[in-house]
Amino acid sequence: MEENKFKVTIDGIETEVAPGTTILQAARQIGPEVAPPAMCYYKPLEKSGGKCRACLVKVAQGSAKDTRAMPKLMASCITQVQDGMVVENYTNEEVVETRKGIVEFLLLNHPLDCPVCDQAGECSLQDFAFKHGTEAQRFEEERRTYEREDIGDKIQLHMNRCILCYRCVHTADQITDGRCHGVMYRGDHAEISTYISKAVDNDFSGNMIDVCPVGALTDKTFRFKNRVWFSKPVDAHRDCDKCSGKVHLWYKGDEVIRVTGRKNQWGEVDEFICNTCRFDKKETADWVIEGPAKMQRHSVLSANKYRKDAIKPEYALKHAAQNYKQIDDSRPYNKSLEEVKESEDYKALMDKNKEFKLLNK
Amino acid sequence: MAESIKILTGNFDVPGIEQLDVYRKNGGYAGLEKALKQMSPDEIVEEVKKSGVRGRGGAGFPMGMKWGFLAKPEGVPRYLVCNGDESEPGTFKDHYLMMKSPHLLIEGMIISSFALGANTSFIYVRGELMYVINILEKAIAEAKAAGLLGKNILGTGYDLELVVQPGGGAYICGEETALLESLEGKRGNPRNKPPFPAVKGLYQCPTVVNNVESISTTPWIVLNGGEEYAKVGIGRSTGTKLISASGHVKNPGVYEIELGLPVEEFIYSDQYLGGIRDGHGLKAVVAGGSSVPILPKDLILKTAAGEPRLMSYESLSDGGFASGTMLGSGGFIAMDETTCIVRNTWNFSRFYRHESCGQCSPCREGTGWMEKVLYRIEHGKGNERDIDLLVDVAKKIEGNTICPLGDAAAWPVASAIRHFRDEFEWHVKNPEAATKKGAVYQPELSLA
Ligand SMILES: Cc1cc2nc3c(=O)[nH]c(=O)nc-3n(C[C@H](O)[C@H](O)[C@H](O)COP(=O)(O)O)c2cc1C
Ligand code: SF4
Ligand code: SF4
Ligand code: FES
């Protein structure tokens, strides 16, 4: 058991993972405070990742055997950990700077009209830009624009918003048969399109809507019915002969206005659902209601409704220690993690945290 | 340097050399005979290692070492793929080689395939070059009829099928993993690495990808020995290199030079480029294809330390990117003083914007952004902020992408601003003068 675990340190926090685990998965195992953002990687989809470069991290030590740093930033979603690897994410200046650049690149051709976008509020790009971007905008050129395109009668493609993450292509490849949409052309003129305007007609095509991180693929049966933050997600299921039947129902008052797959903490749908569940079952009577959906992290949906995960004090202190090193006095934040743990300040903080957790029970 | 040694092109001028019998009469396929009848695959790999020959496709990775990395699991086929996609602006030597002497490449492919244990090998040729593809296919048919390809080659029991594949019509298909995707019949998007092709390449099998020119050195190396090859050239830049010379020189064309030739001699001697066209003087050189940093005259002729610059991997990169460049694929573009560097940089960036595959965001968005900004500057609509912006965008692309096309797009822009910043500033400060037809910045004028 011990032998086939790899030790990896991410932003000063150590964890053990099975060989073959990626840096991103190892970081998620530690928790959201060290997990890199991911705009193209989508765990349930094979071969996803490596494209958006949002998850770039610094590998400060390749492994226990080869202690050299890797010269380039690495895409954490596709880079496997080695035993003894040391990774810097939020604690590395270069990573933070580069990520600002990635936000800027992804927004370059993306319309900044969130107020009229249906994805607003559950958009990964919005979250990503909010958390990692800068306010200033340096792009003065014209954005590329496309006509809206219907992909079948239930899905609309608004290519202007697409960030070419390829998730929908992998979805169509892996969970529907006879993919007839994909990426055409190259470079910043590349676009998602259907093969000579052929409609995507498939029992599972609706999942492309769920995997799309932005408002490029949207549910035509829901479009502009409501702002997502005014709707209430509920966990529900039904007996379905095509899929797991496990969904979120989105309510406006008593009305089910939308059905989606259940997204996990990382915004990924673990169990894809069929189009019957998604588009045809919009009565409460169609479903067994389980209770309010847990919106763990996802954007404004969780704001004021659900408790935010408390930041681990260990991480907060380590972060402070790294960032305030230069002050160089005797207070605990320029000590090693072990020393920090021994300090009075840390113990006090831990007590506070206990109180906090009790209060929030 | 006296009459220099010709390892590849020695018999290119023999009439009919593209035909099997003429090629054979001039010593062709002697290397193959020796390789198949007197040597083991490992011995060939050893000779290639000793030769020190480095990949001629751009990256300059030692070919023998690459061959040594090839994984050899039991029961899994291995492939050799020859990269003849050659689409980099300024580079046209593989095109010339395949057209002139197809059997040289074919002989090299058989020897290399034998050395690597491949029984099916591919030559991926830039799709626009249909006539070259026809020449190759004709030559392959000849070789097959003569028992040099197919089953039981030369009676030795070794089998090899050689397939010519027309390319997908994109520069990115020359990147080795995009090439493999394209060869598999998919969209030519580069793969994330690892895994490297040596472990999982074509159809997920161990694969070696080498450039046309690299593979064409093997008949000579086998015949004469790796050590003999290593005696040619200078230091770790062994052997000869095909240089595609273009631009404002008197004698543009493809030249086989011994590595180590001084750049000055290459440009000005009559044996080579014969100097800059009459009445003009050299301004700048892109020494290794459009991707590598551009250098002004002073730095291409001499290093920052004042040493004469040589045509070799080490000398051209002396000084790093601050004052050096790269040998790259050997696309040597010389520009005289009538060249507007801003316009030229814009032109290059137009190419990279067009050719980015669009998979990763820094390259997809960054190449388009740089092109748009450069377009504005060139057309009199730039401002001073734009120059630093370009430097910053280039920096944010470099090193952060899936494949080196991102770097290749960033370097020409970054280097042009590094060495010709005043020319960019003149453009943004004097839009009217700068947008006049044929207007080129003159350093003396800028002072006025
Ligand atoms: C955008 C791009 C285009 C490339 N085009 C070519 C090409 O046309 N021909 C080539 O031999 N190598 C090309 N390369 C380099 C190949 O990826 C690879 O390194 C080379 O084929 C290996 O052969 P070598 O070691 O013999 O040079 C290209 C690389 C990039 C990033
Ligand atoms: S449409 Fe959505 S899922 Fe598909 S590539 Fe674009 S952003 Fe990604
Ligand atoms: S660097 Fe450019 S060409 Fe290479 S994979 Fe990324 S987008 Fe494609
Ligand atoms: S999430 Fe890793 S590159 Fe997109």
Side-chain angles (χ1 to χ4, degrees):
Chain A
M1 189 61 203
E2 292 287 276
E3 253 162 64
N4 50 32
K5 283 271 179 184
F6 281 174
K7 221 177 244 167
V8 50
T9 310
I10 303 172
D11 278 349
I13 301 177
E14 210 176 83
T15 189
E16 285 196 346
V17 295
T21 307
T22 59
I23 297 174
L24 185 111
Q25 285 303 341
R28 285 183 174 183
Q29 185 175 311
I30 296 175
E33 62 272 19
V34 297
M39 297 298 295
C40 67
Y41 173 77
Y42 202 78
K43 191 174 171 216
L45 297 172
E46 246 177 79
K47 293 192 194 150
S48 67
K51 298 193 193 309
C52 70
R53 320 306 279 179
C55 68
L56 290 176
V57 294
K58 177 77 189 174
V59 176
Q61 172 172 319
S63 67
K65 273 192 223 119
D66 184 352
T67 57
R68 285 173 305 171
M70 292 189 183
K72 288 183 186 178
L73 300 184
M74 303 301 287
S76 60
C77 65
I78 49 166
T79 307
Q80 297 186 355
V81 298
Q82 301 297 328
D83 196 21
M85 187 184 262
V86 177
V87 177
E88 294 169 357
N89 185 25
Y90 295 107
T91 50
N92 185 295
E93 190 82 9
E94 189 192 352
V95 172
V96 171
E97 270 307 304
T98 304
R99 212 166 269 157
K100 280 185 197 156
I102 304 292
V103 172
E104 192 173 29
F105 284 134
L106 286 179
L107 288 178
L108 217 53
N109 274 303
H110 192 93
L112 302 181
D113 59 356
C114 304
V116 296
C117 174
D118 234 2
Q119 190 87 0
E122 54 177 1
C123 172
S124 303
L125 185 57
Q126 233 177 11
D127 293 350
F128 178 50
F130 179 74
K131 190 160 175 207
H132 303 279
T134 46
E135 281 164 36
Q137 198 200 336
R138 298 187 294 176
F139 186 67
E140 300 170 6
E141 328 301 323
E142 238 173 77
R143 294 189 154 76
R144 44 162 215 187
T145 49
Y146 301 85
E147 292 296 319
R148 289 191 180 140
E149 195 182 333
D150 284 339
I151 298 196
D153 59 343
K154 299 284 182 2
I155 306 176
Q156 188 172 75
L157 168 69
H158 195 14
M159 189 54 215
N160 289 3
R161 304 193 191 285
C162 172
I163 58 164
L164 285 163
C165 70
Y166 279 65
R167 282 181 186 173
C168 60
V169 180
H170 292 308
T171 306
D173 255 347
Q174 290 164 29
I175 65 171
T176 72
D177 41 47
R179 167 165 77 89
C180 59
H181 97 288
V183 178
M184 309 216 297
Y185 312 117
R186 295 191 291 261
D188 63 355
H189 35 290
E191 56 180 286
I192 296 287
S193 191
T194 51
Y195 180 62
I196 323 192
S197 289
K198 213 173 145 189
V200 175
D201 180 16
N202 186 289
D203 265 352
F204 284 84
S205 65
N207 291 296
M208 297 196 303
I209 301 168
D210 283 351
V211 301
C212 183
V214 293
L217 291 169
T218 47
D219 182 342
K220 274 173 68 185
T221 66
F222 171 69
R223 274 180 72 79
F224 302 117
K225 282 211 170 146
N226 201 1
R227 305 305 290 177
V228 293
W229 53 88
F230 292 137
S231 56
K232 215 172 68 189
V234 164
D235 282 348
H237 66 264
R238 62 182 278 274
D239 251 342
C240 178
D241 53 3
K242 287 190 228 145
C243 70
S244 71
K246 288 186 196 160
V247 302
H248 286 328
L249 300 180
W250 298 76
Y251 277 95
K252 180 185 182 183
D254 293 337
E255 192 193 346
V256 177
I257 52 172
R258 179 169 72 144
V259 183
T260 68
R262 285 189 200 174
K263 285 191 179 170
N264 64 20
Q265 182 184 9
W266 313 107
E268 294 164 348
V269 171
D270 289 318
E271 288 175 281
F272 293 110
I273 61 168
C274 70
N275 284 3
T276 310
C277 288
R278 183 186 304 273
F279 297 122
D280 302 337
K281 301 287 170 194
K282 296 221 173 148
E283 300 295 331
T284 304
D286 294 329
W287 299 95
V288 180
I289 307 290
E290 296 167 21
K294 265 198 215 104
M295 290 286 119
Q296 298 222 23
R297 189 186 68 130
H298 226 62
S299 177
V300 293
L301 295 182
S302 61
N304 302 325
K305 285 195 191 129
Y306 309 96
R307 186 178 68 83
K308 271 193 178 168
D309 285 329
I311 298 279
K312 287 196 179 111
E314 238 178 66
Y315 170 74
L317 276 179
K318 182 77 194 178
H319 190 74
Q322 298 228 356
N323 281 289
Y324 295 96
K325 275 201 269 266
Q326 63 270 33
I327 297 175
D328 194 31
D329 65 9
S330 61
R331 275 176 287 172
Y333 42 59
N334 58 357
K335 299 278 168 61
S336 75
L337 193 54
E338 283 63 39
E339 287 172 297
V340 167
K341 279 183 173 167
E342 289 301 307
S343 73
E344 290 304 316
D345 287 18
Y346 179 79
K347 284 176 190 154
L349 194 70
M350 287 303 281
D351 288 342
K352 270 240 171 72
N353 190 48
K354 260 183 224 149
E355 272 170 43
F356 176 77
K357 279 190 177 155
L358 286 175
L359 278 176
N360 281 278
K361 258 208 165 137
Chain B
M1 221 175 264
E3 187 56 35
S4 80
I5 180 165
K6 299 278 185 262
I7 287 175
L8 299 165
T9 60
N11 56 23
F12 274 26
D13 290 332
V14 176
I17 195 72
E18 74 283 359
Q19 294 158 24
L20 181 63
D21 53 337
V22 181
Y23 180 73
R24 275 188 129 163
K25 258 183 227 138
N26 285 275
Y29 288 106
L32 178 67
E33 296 252 358
K34 179 174 175 191
L36 258 52
K37 292 183 175 161
Q38 296 166 34
M39 295 173 81
S40 73
D42 287 347
E43 279 168 352
I44 301 174
V45 175
E46 203 42 48
E47 288 307 316
V48 170
K49 279 187 181 158
K50 276 191 212 151
S51 76
V53 62
R54 291 163 69 173
R56 304 298 194 218
F61 193 82
M63 183 153 81
M65 207 193 282
K66 185 186 269 188
W67 288 15
F69 289 149
L70 185 68
K72 295 183 174 167
E74 277 295 315
V76 177
R78 279 165 246 153
Y79 295 109
L80 171 66
V81 177
C82 171
N83 190 342
D85 193 53
E86 197 174 58
S87 314
E88 175 131 330
T91 309
F92 41 85
K93 45 125 191 150
D94 296 338
H95 176 174
Y96 175 76
L97 187 153
M98 292 185 284
M99 177 182 86
K100 275 283 191 180
S101 186
H103 285 289
L104 175 62
L105 175 61
I106 294 167
E107 183 180 1
M109 284 298 285
I110 308 170
I111 293 173
S112 307
S113 303
F114 175 68
L116 296 168
N119 297 105
T120 309
S121 296
F122 298 86
I123 308 177
Y124 185 96
V125 183
R126 176 175 179 162
E128 289 89 337
L129 305 181
M130 268 329 281
Y131 71 101
V132 174
I133 292 168
N134 291 337
I135 291 172
L136 279 172
E137 283 187 333
K138 198 164 152 225
I140 287 173
E142 273 183 309
K144 207 163 184 177
L148 296 164
L149 271 173
K151 295 254 173 266
N152 193 16
I153 296 171
L154 294 173
T156 59
Y158 174 62
D159 305 337
L160 177 69
E161 286 303 327
L162 197 51
V163 181
V164 181
Q165 173 65 43
Y171 169 56
I172 194 56
C173 289
E175 194 280 336
E176 55 186 8
T177 57
L179 187 153
L180 296 176
E181 286 284 297
S182 173
L183 198 51
E184 290 179 9
K186 302 184 205 144
R187 181 183 161 91
N189 277 1
R191 297 176 182 168
N192 274 299
K193 283 152 272 187
F196 290 93
V199 180
K200 281 188 176 168
L202 187 64
Y203 306 113
Q204 297 297 304
C205 297
T207 302
V208 165
V209 182
N210 271 129
N211 173 259
V212 170
E213 185 188 345
S214 316
I215 289 172
S216 301
T217 60
T218 54
W220 197 95
I221 291 173
V222 161
L223 265 187
N224 300 278
E227 270 163 33
E228 276 308 299
Y229 188 90
K231 284 182 194 158
V232 184
I234 184 167
R236 285 178 52 237
S237 298
T238 60
T240 62
K241 172 95 189 77
L242 295 180
I243 303 291
S244 328
S246 63
H248 298 138
V249 292
K250 284 205 184 122
N251 313 319
V254 176
Y255 292 86
E256 179 171 8
I257 62 155
E258 179 169 354
L259 286 167
L261 178 73
V263 174
E264 187 155 9
E265 184 180 341
F266 182 59
I267 298 176
Y268 292 104
S269 105
D270 286 335
Q271 192 187 341
Y272 299 104
L273 308 188
I276 305 304
R277 59 183 180 158
D278 280 333
H280 295 281
L282 182 65
K283 176 175 181 176
V285 168
V286 174
S290 61
S291 309
V292 310
I294 189 172
L295 287 183
K297 178 182 177 187
D298 297 349
L299 283 175
I300 189 68
L301 298 179
K302 286 198 166 43
T303 67
E307 299 287 323
R309 188 80 79 179
L310 311 178
M311 296 291 282
S312 74
Y313 293 96
E314 291 76 20
S315 177
L316 281 171
S317 58
D318 185 287
F321 277 5
S323 62
T325 179
M326 281 158 61
L327 178 59
S329 56
F332 194 93
I333 310 170
M335 302 170 197
D336 70 18
E337 81 294 339
T338 64
T339 312
C340 170
I341 298 296
V342 175
R343 189 172 185 82
N344 180 69
T345 311
W346 168 55
N347 194 32
F348 279 173
S349 74
R350 229 159 39 119
F351 173 78
Y352 288 105
R353 176 185 183 190
H354 189 255
E355 296 298 332
S356 159
C357 85
Q359 265 192 109
C360 49
S361 37
C363 170
R364 176 184 67 240
E365 304 295 340
T367 51
W369 194 359
M370 291 196 301
E371 191 272 334
K372 286 175 180 170
V373 173
L374 282 160
Y375 174 89
R376 273 200 290 109
I377 297 178
E378 167 62 16
H379 290 84
K381 302 207 170 63
N383 57 51
E384 274 176 78
R385 280 194 316 275
D386 287 336
I387 303 172
D388 288 329
L389 176 67
L390 284 172
V391 175
D392 189 60
V393 173
K395 203 175 109 205
K396 293 228 156 95
I397 301 173
E398 192 187 338
N400 294 328
T401 56
I402 297 176
C403 88
L405 188 139
D407 303 338
W411 293 338
V413 176
S415 61
I417 297 177
R418 187 180 309 127
H419 299 300
F420 297 94
R421 191 175 179 109
D422 40 358
E423 204 156 321
F424 285 82
E425 284 175 354
W426 180 71
H427 268 74
V428 298
K429 286 184 193 151
N430 305 282
E432 219 167 287
T435 48
K436 285 219 181 81
K437 196 167 173 355
V440 176
Y441 165 76
Q442 308 292 336
E444 320 74 78
L445 291 182
S446 76
L447 299 174

